[in-house]
Amino acid sequence: MTRRPSSAAVGHAGLARQTGALAARYGLTAADRVLQFAAPAFDVSLEEALPTWCTGGTAVFVDDNLAPPAELEPFLARRHVTLVNLPTPYWSQWAKDLARRPRPLPPALRHVVIGSDAGRTADLDRWYAAGGPPVTSAYGLTESTITATCHETRPGPPTGPADPADSTGPAHSADEVIPLGLPLEGVRAYVLDGAMEPAADDEAGELYLAGPCLARGYHGRPALTAERFVADPFAAPGERMYRTGDRVRRAPDGTLRFLGRTDDQVKIRGHRVELKEVETAVAAHPDVVDVVARAVPHRGEPRVVAYVAAAPGRALDGEALRRYVAARVPGHLVPARTCVLPALPRTPGGKLDARALPDPFPPGPALPLAP
């Protein structure tokens, strides 16, 4: 049985506002040539096309958005592409590959936008060490007319001291999730606690989005609309806000930092574990290009499982990877099992297809299991 899809009804005014805001943020002009990477069925394709067309630029269509980044580079160079908007896992794979095989990047490329998943600062280090152009990390949902917040990154000092065991760049002990950044103009971002009160700076809470960015609701699904689009107690009567389900904290300078999903906390042997922390620890391995952590019930209790994909031409052993992680983080952050896959199942839009992940505890003879 498949889940019934939810179609968000986005109004023209919200999309027009978004188009103007992003065209200005990315400095688009008629001279730009922007890669059309996302399939037309996905919302990000509108953020690639509309700001480009409305500023007189050129949309450059790619035939195969599943080709590895190294194969995309010659295409970008031939077509003089100036800006790309990529799924974060795809860009992460690109950054790691550049660290292993240094080479010049397409000369016209001046800006990279990433989204659909949380990025990591270690990949920024790799990217900038390879001479990559500035990266903007974008966050949002269809319900917020796609992008709601942005974090502008620039080359800077490494995130930590060099690790002799890692030939790809700075040590990953300082690896962090790239911040969600600041709301776009016209977006109100609230960080609320369980009592629906504003959380103090640096305190965790759920992120709610409000303002003219919001969609009208879910087409033909009034009950789901009422559940997710709730009254905004901080605005005029009739205003709504959207509960994202994302846990964040707001720094004193206003920057939003992603902590994980509200349903992605799990208690392991008395420790409260954020699955994003596990993913960050596993992703530190130089041969890991993609990872997702999930809490899977087994023998009556949750177990953390890491699903990973290795860099092309690299072999990963699940138990060796566990030992690598165990040497660097507390025991409760070490996954009970690691499943090495050729690639993580993702939708054409770059989002994880969680239902396609294999069972880490298949029936049959019992396999060794970490405590």
Side-chain angles (χ1 to χ4, degrees):
M1 180 177 177
T2 58
R3 184 173 63 88
R4 180 183 174 187
S6 302
S7 300
V10 175
H12 177 271
L15 194 56
R17 177 203 60 81
Q18 184 81 344
T19 296
L22 294 181
R25 176 170 290 269
Y26 303 147
L28 294 176
T29 71
D32 274 299
R33 299 174 60 83
V34 178
L35 183 69
Q36 191 75 26
F37 188 85
F42 294 91
D43 55 4
V44 174
S45 68
L46 296 175
E47 289 200 343
E48 293 171 329
L50 296 183
T52 304
W53 294 341
C54 288
T55 51
T58 301
V60 179
F61 288 78
V62 62
D63 292 332
D64 182 10
N65 65 359
L66 298 179
E71 294 181 16
L72 182 67
E73 290 174 28
F75 176 85
L76 299 179
R78 288 196 307 271
R79 302 298 296 273
H80 307 288
V81 170
T82 60
L83 186 143
V84 296
N85 191 333
L86 302 172
T88 303
Y90 188 91
W91 167 80
S92 174
Q93 180 182 345
W94 195 1
K96 288 183 170 74
D97 191 51
L98 286 169
R100 290 189 188 89
R101 300 186 297 128
R103 56 191 182 271
L105 283 164
L109 187 63
R110 67 171 182 83
H111 202 101
V112 173
V113 182
I114 60 173
S116 82
D117 205 346
R120 296 183 174 85
T121 56
D123 288 326
L124 283 176
D125 291 335
R126 297 181 179 103
W127 179 257
Y128 288 133
V135 173
T136 295
S137 183
Y139 164 85
L141 314 97
T142 309
E143 292 86 346
S144 63
T145 315
I146 322 171
T147 296
T149 72
C150 283
H151 182 69
E152 309 293 346
T153 75
R154 292 290 186 273
T159 55
D163 181 352
D166 180 6
S167 62
T168 64
H172 303 295
S173 58
D175 189 14
E176 298 177 348
V177 173
I178 299 172
L180 302 185
L182 299 171
L184 295 181
E185 182 180 355
V187 177
R188 300 193 301 274
Y190 306 129
V191 182
L192 306 182
D193 61 20
M196 298 292 284
E197 293 293 333
D201 286 349
D202 287 328
E203 292 293 326
E206 184 173 355
L207 177 62
Y208 289 73
L209 299 173
C213 64
L214 288 195
R216 297 169 181 169
Y218 296 110
H219 179 68
R221 304 195 66 180
L224 183 60
T225 297
E227 176 187 339
R228 305 300 298 183
F229 292 84
V230 298
D232 183 348
F234 311 104
E239 292 276 340
R240 304 170 305 148
M241 59 184 184
Y242 178 76
R243 56 180 311 172
T244 66
D246 289 326
R247 294 181 65 252
V248 303
R249 61 181 175 85
R250 193 193 306 272
D253 66 357
T255 298
L256 296 166
R257 295 184 176 275
F258 181 66
L259 301 177
R261 294 285 298 169
T262 55
D263 53 0
D264 270 1
Q265 281 189 325
V266 60
K267 187 163 283 190
I268 303 294
R269 302 190 299 279
H271 296 277
R272 189 163 296 280
V273 175
E274 297 275 3
L275 295 181
K276 279 295 173 190
E277 290 185 89
V278 177
E279 292 174 4
T280 296
V282 175
H285 192 286
D287 290 339
V288 172
V289 295
D290 205 0
V291 56
V292 66
R294 285 288 181 267
V296 180
H298 184 67
R299 299 176 186 169
E301 60 180 300
R303 299 280 188 167
V304 175
V305 176
Y307 297 90
V308 302
R314 300 293 179 115
L316 271 177
D317 175 76
E319 282 306 301
L321 180 56
R322 282 193 65 259
R323 292 193 295 271
Y324 174 92
V325 175
R328 289 161 171 77
V329 298
H332 62 275
L333 293 180
V334 180
R337 181 158 294 165
T338 55
C339 296
V340 181
L341 307 175
L344 296 194
R346 292 190 177 274
T347 68
K351 296 184 182 298
L352 179 77
D353 184 358
R355 290 173 294 179
L357 291 170
D359 182 356
F361 307 113
L367 298 174
L369 185 67

